[in-house]
Coordinates of all heavy atoms in Angstrom, one line a residue:
M98 N 0.8 -1.2 0.0 CA 0.0 0.0 0.0 C 0.9 1.2 0.0 O 0.5 2.2 -0.6 CB -1.0 0.0 1.2 CG -2.0 -1.1 1.0 SD -3.3 -1.1 2.2 CE -3.4 0.4 2.9
G99 N 2.0 1.2 0.7 CA 2.9 2.3 0.6 C 2.6 3.6 1.4 O 3.2 4.6 1.4
R100 N 1.5 3.5 2.2 CA 1.2 4.7 3.1 C 1.2 4.2 4.5 O 0.8 3.1 4.9 CB -0.2 5.2 2.7 CG -0.2 5.9 1.3 CD -1.5 6.7 1.1 NE -2.6 5.7 0.9 CZ -3.8 6.1 0.8 NH1 -4.1 7.4 0.8 NH2 -4.8 5.3 0.6
N101 N 1.5 5.2 5.4 CA 1.6 4.9 6.8 C 0.3 5.4 7.5 O 0.0 6.5 7.5 CB 2.8 5.6 7.4 CG 3.0 5.2 8.8 OD1 2.2 4.6 9.5 ND2 4.2 5.5 9.4
I102 N -0.5 4.4 8.0 CA -1.8 4.8 8.7 C -1.5 5.7 9.8 O -2.3 6.6 10.1 CB -2.5 3.5 9.2 CG1 -2.9 2.6 8.0 CG2 -3.7 3.8 10.0 CD1 -3.5 1.3 8.3
Q103 N -0.4 5.5 10.5 CA -0.1 6.3 11.7 C 0.0 7.8 11.4 O -0.3 8.6 12.2 CB 1.3 5.8 12.2 CG 1.5 6.2 13.6 CD 2.8 5.4 14.1 OE1 3.6 5.1 13.3 NE2 2.9 5.2 15.4
N104 N 0.4 8.2 10.2 CA 0.6 9.6 9.9 C -0.7 10.3 9.4 O -0.7 11.5 9.0 CB 1.7 9.8 8.8 CG 3.1 9.4 9.4 OD1 3.3 9.5 10.6 ND2 4.0 9.0 8.5
S105 N -1.8 9.6 9.3 CA -3.0 10.2 8.8 C -3.8 10.9 10.0 O -3.9 10.3 11.1 CB -3.9 9.1 8.2 OG -5.1 9.6 7.8
C106 N -4.3 12.1 9.7 CA -5.0 12.8 10.8 C -6.5 12.6 10.7 O -7.2 12.8 11.7 CB -4.6 14.3 10.7 SG -2.9 14.6 11.0
D107 N -7.0 12.3 9.6 CA -8.4 12.1 9.3 C -8.9 10.8 9.7 O -8.4 9.7 9.3 CB -8.6 12.4 7.8 CG -10.1 12.4 7.5 OD1 -10.9 11.9 8.3 OD2 -10.4 12.9 6.4
V108 N -9.9 10.7 10.6 CA -10.4 9.5 11.1 C -11.0 8.6 10.0 O -10.8 7.4 9.9 CB -11.5 9.7 12.2 CG1 -12.1 8.4 12.6 CG2 -10.8 10.4 13.4
T109 N -11.7 9.2 9.1 CA -12.3 8.5 8.0 C -11.2 7.9 7.1 O -11.3 6.7 6.7 CB -13.2 9.5 7.1 OG1 -14.2 10.0 7.9 CG2 -13.9 8.7 6.0
T110 N -10.2 8.6 6.8 CA -9.1 8.1 6.0 C -8.4 7.0 6.7 O -8.1 5.9 6.1 CB -8.1 9.2 5.6 OG1 -8.8 10.3 5.0 CG2 -7.0 8.7 4.8
S111 N -8.1 7.1 8.0 CA -7.5 6.1 8.8 C -8.3 4.8 8.8 O -7.8 3.7 8.6 CB -7.3 6.5 10.2 OG -6.3 7.6 10.2
T112 N -9.6 4.9 8.9 CA -10.5 3.8 9.0 C -10.5 3.1 7.6 O -10.5 1.9 7.5 CB -12.0 4.2 9.3 OG1 -11.9 4.9 10.6 CG2 -12.9 3.1 9.4
D113 N -10.6 3.8 6.5 CA -10.6 3.3 5.2 C -9.3 2.5 4.9 O -9.2 1.4 4.4 CB -10.8 4.3 4.1 CG -12.2 4.9 4.1 OD1 -13.1 4.2 4.6 OD2 -12.4 5.9 3.5
M114 N -8.1 3.1 5.4 CA -6.8 2.4 5.2 C -6.8 1.2 6.0 O -6.2 0.2 5.6 CB -5.7 3.4 5.5 CG -5.6 4.5 4.5 SD -4.4 5.8 5.0 CE -2.9 4.9 4.8
L115 N -7.3 1.2 7.2 CA -7.4 0.0 8.1 C -8.2 -1.1 7.4 O -7.8 -2.3 7.4 CB -7.9 0.3 9.4 CG -8.0 -0.8 10.4 CD1 -6.6 -1.3 10.7 CD2 -8.6 -0.3 11.7
R116 N -9.3 -0.8 6.8 CA -10.1 -1.7 6.0 C -9.3 -2.3 4.9 O -9.4 -3.5 4.6 CB -11.3 -1.1 5.5 CG -12.4 -0.9 6.5 CD -13.7 -0.4 6.0 NE -14.6 -0.1 7.0 CZ -15.3 1.0 7.2 NH1 -15.1 2.0 6.3 NH2 -16.1 1.2 8.2
Q117 N -8.5 -1.5 4.2 CA -7.7 -2.0 3.1 C -6.6 -3.0 3.6 O -6.3 -4.0 2.9 CB -7.0 -0.8 2.4 CG -7.9 0.0 1.6 CD -7.2 1.3 1.0 OE1 -6.0 1.3 0.9 NE2 -8.0 2.2 0.6
V118 N -6.0 -2.7 4.7 CA -5.0 -3.6 5.3 C -5.6 -4.9 5.7 O -5.1 -6.0 5.4 CB -4.3 -3.0 6.5 CG1 -3.5 -4.0 7.3 CG2 -3.5 -1.8 6.1
V119 N -6.8 -4.9 6.2 CA -7.5 -6.1 6.6 C -7.8 -6.9 5.3 O -7.6 -8.1 5.3 CB -8.8 -5.8 7.4 CG1 -9.7 -7.0 7.5 CG2 -8.5 -5.3 8.8
Q120 N -8.3 -6.3 4.3 CA -8.5 -7.0 3.0 C -7.3 -7.6 2.4 O -7.3 -8.7 1.8 CB -9.2 -6.1 2.0 CG -10.7 -5.8 2.3 CD -11.5 -7.0 2.3 OE1 -11.4 -7.9 1.4 NE2 -12.4 -7.1 3.3
L121 N -6.2 -6.9 2.6 CA -4.9 -7.3 2.1 C -4.4 -8.6 2.8 O -4.0 -9.5 2.1 CB -3.8 -6.2 2.2 CG -2.4 -6.6 1.9 CD1 -2.3 -6.7 0.3 CD2 -1.4 -5.6 2.4
L122 N -4.6 -8.7 4.1 CA -4.1 -9.8 4.9 C -5.1 -11.0 4.9 O -4.7 -12.1 5.2 CB -3.8 -9.4 6.3 CG -2.6 -8.4 6.4 CD1 -2.5 -8.0 7.8 CD2 -1.3 -9.0 5.9
M123 N -6.4 -10.7 4.7 CA -7.5 -11.7 4.9 C -7.3 -12.8 3.9 O -7.1 -12.6 2.7 CB -8.8 -11.0 4.8 CG -9.9 -11.9 5.3 SD -11.5 -11.0 5.4 CE -11.8 -10.6 3.8
T124 N -7.4 -14.0 4.4 CA -7.3 -15.2 3.6 C -8.7 -15.6 3.1 O -9.6 -15.8 3.9 CB -6.7 -16.4 4.4 OG1 -5.4 -15.9 4.9 CG2 -6.4 -17.6 3.5
H125 N -8.8 -15.9 1.8 CA -10.1 -16.4 1.2 C -10.0 -17.9 1.2 O -8.9 -18.5 1.3 CB -10.3 -15.8 -0.2 CG -10.4 -14.3 -0.2 ND1 -11.6 -13.7 0.3 CD2 -9.6 -13.3 -0.5 CE1 -11.4 -12.4 0.2 NE2 -10.2 -12.1 -0.2
R126 N -11.1 -18.5 1.0 CA -11.2 -20.0 1.0 C -11.8 -20.5 -0.4 O -12.6 -19.8 -1.0 CB -12.1 -20.5 2.1 CG -11.4 -20.1 3.5 CD -12.2 -20.7 4.6 NE -11.4 -20.5 5.9 CZ -10.6 -21.4 6.3 NH1 -10.4 -22.6 5.8 NH2 -9.9 -21.2 7.4
D127 N -11.4 -21.7 -0.7 CA -11.9 -22.3 -2.0 C -13.2 -23.0 -1.7 O -13.7 -23.0 -0.6 CB -10.8 -23.2 -2.6 CG -10.5 -24.4 -1.7 OD1 -11.2 -24.7 -0.7 OD2 -9.5 -25.1 -2.0
E128 N -13.7 -23.7 -2.8 CA -15.0 -24.4 -2.6 C -15.0 -25.5 -1.7 O -16.0 -26.0 -1.2 CB -15.4 -24.9 -4.0 CG -14.5 -25.9 -4.7 CD -13.5 -25.3 -5.6 OE1 -13.2 -24.1 -5.5 OE2 -12.9 -26.1 -6.3
Y129 N -13.8 -26.0 -1.3 CA -13.7 -27.1 -0.2 C -13.4 -26.5 1.1 O -13.0 -27.2 2.0 CB -12.6 -28.1 -0.7 CG -12.9 -28.7 -2.0 CD1 -12.1 -28.3 -3.1 CD2 -13.9 -29.6 -2.2 CE1 -12.4 -28.9 -4.3 CE2 -14.2 -30.1 -3.4 CZ -13.4 -29.8 -4.5 OH -13.7 -30.3 -5.7
N130 N -13.5 -25.2 1.3 CA -13.3 -24.5 2.5 C -11.8 -24.5 3.0 O -11.5 -24.4 4.2 CB -14.2 -25.0 3.6 CG -14.4 -23.9 4.7 OD1 -14.2 -22.7 4.5 ND2 -14.6 -24.4 5.9
K131 N -10.9 -24.7 2.1 CA -9.5 -24.7 2.4 C -8.9 -23.3 2.1 O -9.3 -22.6 1.2 CB -8.7 -25.7 1.5 CG -8.9 -27.1 1.9 CD -8.0 -28.0 1.1 CE -8.3 -29.5 1.5 NZ -7.4 -30.4 0.8
P132 N -8.1 -22.8 3.0 CA -7.6 -21.4 2.8 C -6.7 -21.3 1.6 O -5.9 -22.2 1.3 CB -6.7 -21.1 4.1 CG -6.5 -22.5 4.7 CD -7.5 -23.4 4.2
I133 N -6.8 -20.2 0.8 CA -6.0 -20.0 -0.4 C -4.9 -19.1 0.1 O -5.1 -17.9 0.5 CB -6.9 -19.3 -1.4 CG1 -8.1 -20.1 -1.8 CG2 -6.0 -18.9 -2.6 CD1 -9.1 -19.4 -2.7
P134 N -3.6 -19.6 0.0 CA -2.5 -18.8 0.5 C -2.3 -17.5 -0.3 O -2.6 -17.5 -1.5 CB -1.3 -19.7 0.3 CG -1.9 -21.1 0.1 CD -3.2 -20.9 -0.4
K135 N -1.9 -16.5 0.3 CA -1.5 -15.2 -0.3 C 0.0 -15.1 -0.3 O 0.7 -15.8 0.4 CB -2.2 -14.0 0.4 CG -3.6 -13.9 0.2 CD -4.2 -12.6 0.7 CE -5.5 -12.4 0.1 NZ -6.0 -11.0 0.5
R136 N 0.5 -14.1 -1.0 CA 2.0 -13.9 -1.1 C 2.3 -12.6 -0.4 O 1.6 -11.6 -0.5 CB 2.5 -13.9 -2.5 CG 2.5 -15.2 -3.1 CD 2.8 -15.2 -4.6 NE 3.9 -14.3 -4.9 CZ 4.6 -14.3 -6.0 NH1 4.3 -15.2 -6.9 NH2 5.6 -13.4 -6.2
I137 N 3.5 -12.6 0.3 CA 3.9 -11.4 1.0 C 5.4 -11.2 0.7 O 6.1 -12.2 0.6 CB 3.6 -11.4 2.5 CG1 3.8 -10.0 3.1 CG2 4.5 -12.4 3.2 CD1 3.2 -10.0 4.6
E138 N 5.8 -9.9 0.6 CA 7.2 -9.6 0.3 C 7.6 -8.5 1.3 O 6.9 -7.6 1.6 CB 7.4 -9.1 -1.1 CG 8.8 -8.6 -1.4 CD 9.0 -7.9 -2.7 OE1 8.0 -7.6 -3.3 OE2 10.1 -7.8 -3.1
F139 N 8.8 -8.7 1.9 CA 9.3 -7.6 2.8 C 10.4 -6.8 2.2 O 11.2 -7.4 1.4 CB 9.8 -8.3 4.1 CG 8.8 -9.0 4.9 CD1 8.6 -10.4 4.8 CD2 7.9 -8.3 5.7 CE1 7.6 -11.1 5.5 CE2 6.9 -9.0 6.4 CZ 6.8 -10.3 6.3
S140 N 10.4 -5.6 2.4 CA 11.4 -4.7 1.8 C 12.9 -5.1 2.0 O 13.7 -4.8 1.2 CB 11.2 -3.2 2.1 OG 11.3 -3.1 3.5
N141 N 13.1 -5.7 3.2 CA 14.5 -6.1 3.5 C 14.9 -7.4 2.8 O 16.1 -7.8 2.9 CB 14.8 -6.1 5.0 CG 13.8 -7.0 5.7 OD1 12.7 -7.3 5.2 ND2 14.2 -7.5 6.9
Y142 N 14.0 -8.1 2.1 CA 14.2 -9.2 1.3 C 13.6 -9.0 -0.1 O 12.6 -9.7 -0.4 CB 13.6 -10.5 1.9 CG 14.3 -10.9 3.2 CD1 13.6 -10.7 4.4 CD2 15.5 -11.5 3.2 CE1 14.2 -11.1 5.6 CE2 16.1 -11.9 4.4 CZ 15.4 -11.7 5.6 OH 16.0 -12.1 6.8
P143 N 14.2 -8.2 -0.9 CA 13.6 -7.9 -2.2 C 13.6 -9.1 -3.1 O 14.5 -9.9 -3.1 CB 14.5 -6.8 -2.8 CG 15.8 -6.9 -2.0 CD 15.4 -7.4 -0.7
D144 N 12.5 -9.2 -3.8 CA 12.3 -10.4 -4.8 C 12.2 -11.7 -4.1 O 12.3 -12.7 -4.8 CB 13.4 -10.4 -5.8 CG 13.4 -9.1 -6.6 OD1 12.4 -8.5 -6.9 OD2 14.5 -8.6 -7.0
V145 N 11.9 -11.8 -2.8 CA 11.7 -13.0 -2.1 C 10.3 -12.9 -1.6 O 9.9 -12.0 -0.9 CB 12.7 -13.2 -0.9 CG1 12.3 -14.5 -0.2 CG2 14.1 -13.2 -1.4
Y146 N 9.5 -13.9 -1.9 CA 8.1 -14.0 -1.5 C 7.8 -15.2 -0.7 O 8.4 -16.2 -0.9 CB 7.2 -14.0 -2.8 CG 7.3 -12.9 -3.7 CD1 8.2 -12.9 -4.7 CD2 6.5 -11.7 -3.5 CE1 8.4 -11.8 -5.6 CE2 6.6 -10.6 -4.3 CZ 7.6 -10.7 -5.4 OH 7.7 -9.6 -6.2
W147 N 6.9 -15.0 0.3 CA 6.4 -16.1 1.1 C 4.9 -16.2 1.0 O 4.2 -15.2 0.9 CB 6.7 -15.8 2.6 CG 8.2 -15.9 2.9 CD1 8.9 -17.0 3.3 CD2 9.1 -14.8 3.0 NE1 10.2 -16.7 3.6 CE2 10.4 -15.4 3.4 CE3 9.0 -13.5 2.7 CZ2 11.5 -14.6 3.5 CZ3 10.2 -12.7 2.8 CH2 11.4 -13.3 3.2
E148 N 4.4 -17.4 0.9 CA 3.0 -17.6 0.9 C 2.5 -17.8 2.3 O 3.2 -18.4 3.2 CB 2.6 -18.9 0.1 CG 2.8 -18.7 -1.4 CD 2.2 -19.8 -2.2 OE1 2.0 -20.9 -1.6 OE2 1.9 -19.6 -3.4
Y149 N 1.4 -17.2 2.7 CA 0.9 -17.2 4.0 C -0.6 -17.4 4.1 O -1.3 -17.2 3.1 CB 1.3 -15.9 4.8 CG 0.5 -14.7 4.3 CD1 -0.7 -14.4 4.9 CD2 0.9 -13.9 3.3 CE1 -1.4 -13.3 4.5 CE2 0.2 -12.9 2.8 CZ -1.0 -12.5 3.5 OH -1.7 -11.5 3.0
I150 N -1.1 -17.8 5.2 CA -2.5 -17.8 5.5 C -2.7 -17.1 6.8 O -1.8 -17.1 7.7 CB -3.1 -19.2 5.5 CG1 -2.4 -20.1 6.5 CG2 -3.1 -19.8 4.1 CD1 -3.1 -21.4 6.7
L151 N -3.8 -16.5 7.0 CA -4.2 -15.8 8.3 C -4.7 -17.0 9.2 O -5.7 -17.7 8.8 CB -5.3 -14.8 8.0 CG -5.8 -14.0 9.2 CD1 -4.6 -13.2 9.8 CD2 -6.9 -13.1 8.9
E152 N -4.0 -17.1 10.3 CA -4.3 -18.3 11.2 C -5.6 -18.0 12.0 O -6.4 -19.0 12.3 CB -3.2 -18.6 12.1 CG -3.4 -19.8 12.9 CD -2.2 -20.2 13.7 OE1 -2.1 -19.7 14.9 OE2 -1.4 -21.0 13.3
D153 N -5.8 -16.8 12.5 CA -6.8 -16.6 13.4 C -7.5 -15.2 13.1 O -7.0 -14.5 12.2 CB -6.2 -16.6 14.9 CG -7.2 -16.9 15.9 OD1 -8.4 -17.0 15.6 OD2 -6.8 -17.1 17.1
T154 N -8.5 -14.8 13.9 CA -9.1 -13.5 13.7 C -8.1 -12.4 14.1 O -7.2 -12.7 14.8 CB -10.4 -13.4 14.5 OG1 -10.1 -13.6 15.9 CG2 -11.4 -14.4 14.0
F155 N -8.4 -11.2 13.6 CA -7.5 -10.1 14.0 C -7.8 -9.7 15.5 O -8.9 -9.8 16.0 CB -7.9 -8.9 13.1 CG -7.5 -9.0 11.7 CD1 -8.4 -9.4 10.8 CD2 -6.2 -8.8 11.3 CE1 -8.0 -9.5 9.4 CE2 -5.8 -8.9 10.0 CZ -6.7 -9.3 9.1
D156 N -6.7 -9.3 16.1 CA -6.8 -8.8 17.5 C -6.7 -7.3 17.4 O -5.7 -6.8 17.0 CB -5.7 -9.4 18.4 CG -5.8 -9.0 19.8 OD1 -6.8 -8.5 20.2 OD2 -4.7 -9.1 20.5
A157 N -7.8 -6.6 17.7 CA -7.8 -5.2 17.5 C -8.2 -4.4 18.8 O -9.0 -4.9 19.5 CB -8.8 -4.8 16.4
E158 N -7.4 -3.3 19.0 CA -7.7 -2.4 20.1 C -8.0 -1.1 19.4 O -7.1 -0.5 18.8 CB -6.5 -2.3 21.0 CG -6.2 -3.6 21.7 CD -5.0 -3.5 22.6 OE1 -4.5 -2.3 22.8 OE2 -4.4 -4.5 23.0
I159 N -9.2 -0.6 19.6 CA -9.6 0.7 19.0 C -9.8 1.7 20.1 O -10.7 1.5 20.9 CB -10.8 0.6 18.1 CG1 -10.5 -0.5 17.0 CG2 -11.2 1.9 17.5 CD1 -11.7 -0.8 16.1
E160 N -9.0 2.7 20.1 CA -9.2 3.8 21.1 C -9.6 5.1 20.3 O -9.7 5.0 19.1 CB -8.0 4.0 21.9 CG -7.7 2.8 22.8 CD -6.5 3.0 23.6 OE1 -6.1 4.1 23.9 OE2 -5.9 2.0 24.1
I161 N -9.8 6.2 20.9 CA -10.3 7.4 20.3 C -9.4 7.8 19.1 O -9.9 8.1 18.0 CB -10.4 8.5 21.3 CG1 -11.5 8.2 22.3 CG2 -10.7 9.8 20.6 CD1 -11.5 9.2 23.5
S162 N -8.1 7.8 19.2 CA -7.3 8.2 18.1 C -6.2 7.2 17.8 O -5.3 7.5 17.1 CB -6.6 9.5 18.5 OG -5.8 9.3 19.7
D163 N -6.4 5.9 18.1 CA -5.4 5.0 17.9 C -6.0 3.6 17.5 O -6.9 3.1 18.2 CB -4.5 4.8 19.2 CG -3.3 3.9 19.0 OD1 -2.8 4.0 17.9 OD2 -3.0 3.2 19.9
Y164 N -5.5 3.0 16.5 CA -5.9 1.7 16.1 C -4.7 0.8 16.3 O -3.6 1.1 15.8 CB -6.3 1.6 14.6 CG -7.6 2.3 14.2 CD1 -7.5 3.5 13.5 CD2 -8.8 1.7 14.5 CE1 -8.7 4.1 13.2 CE2 -10.0 2.3 14.1 CZ -9.9 3.5 13.5 OH -11.1 4.1 13.1
T165 N -4.8 -0.3 17.0 CA -3.8 -1.3 17.1 C -4.4 -2.6 16.6 O -5.3 -3.1 17.2 CB -3.3 -1.4 18.5 OG1 -2.8 -0.2 19.0 CG2 -2.1 -2.5 18.6
V166 N -3.8 -3.2 15.6 CA -4.3 -4.4 15.0 C -3.2 -5.4 14.9 O -2.1 -5.1 14.4 CB -4.9 -4.2 13.6 CG1 -5.4 -5.6 13.0 CG2 -6.0 -3.2 13.7
K167 N -3.4 -6.6 15.4 CA -2.4 -7.7 15.3 C -3.0 -8.9 14.5 O -4.2 -9.2 14.7 CB -2.0 -8.2 16.7 CG -1.3 -7.2 17.6 CD -1.0 -7.7 19.0 CE -0.4 -6.6 19.8 NZ -0.2 -7.0 21.2
A168 N -2.2 -9.4 13.7 CA -2.6 -10.5 12.8 C -1.6 -11.6 12.9 O -0.3 -11.4 12.9 CB -2.7 -10.1 11.4
K169 N -2.0 -12.9 13.1 CA -1.1 -14.0 13.2 C -1.1 -14.7 11.8 O -2.1 -15.3 11.4 CB -1.6 -15.0 14.3 CG -0.6 -16.0 14.6 CD -1.1 -16.8 15.9 CE 0.0 -17.6 16.4 NZ -0.5 -18.4 17.6
L170 N 0.0 -14.6 11.1 CA 0.1 -15.2 9.8 C 1.0 -16.5 9.9 O 2.0 -16.5 10.6 CB 0.8 -14.2 8.8 CG 0.1 -12.9 8.7 CD1 0.9 -12.0 7.7 CD2 -1.3 -13.0 8.2
V171 N 0.6 -17.5 9.1 CA 1.4 -18.7 9.1 C 2.0 -18.8 7.7 O 1.3 -18.8 6.7 CB 0.5 -19.9 9.4 CG1 1.3 -21.2 9.2 CG2 -0.1 -19.8 10.7
V172 N 3.3 -18.9 7.6 CA 4.0 -19.1 6.3 C 3.8 -20.6 5.9 O 4.1 -21.5 6.7 CB 5.5 -18.7 6.4 CG1 6.2 -19.0 5.1 CG2 5.6 -17.3 6.8
V173 N 3.4 -20.8 4.7 CA 3.1 -22.2 4.2 C 4.1 -22.6 3.1 O 4.7 -21.8 2.5 CB 1.7 -22.4 3.8 CG1 0.7 -22.3 4.9 CG2 1.3 -21.4 2.7

């Protein structure tokens, strides 16, 4: 995505960006209810990709001006 949610001052923009991050990480399932792995790349390992699935639901803490979201990803 290339943008830092933390630097956004607008609550609506921050909420929309948070929704985009959730969609980015969320694992979809096939017709047999098996998770479809997604690919992730980290900037400190260019051109190296890992397939992952989201293991559990997001752990979120939402306060007045702060969103903290944790996701447990499993590399497959």
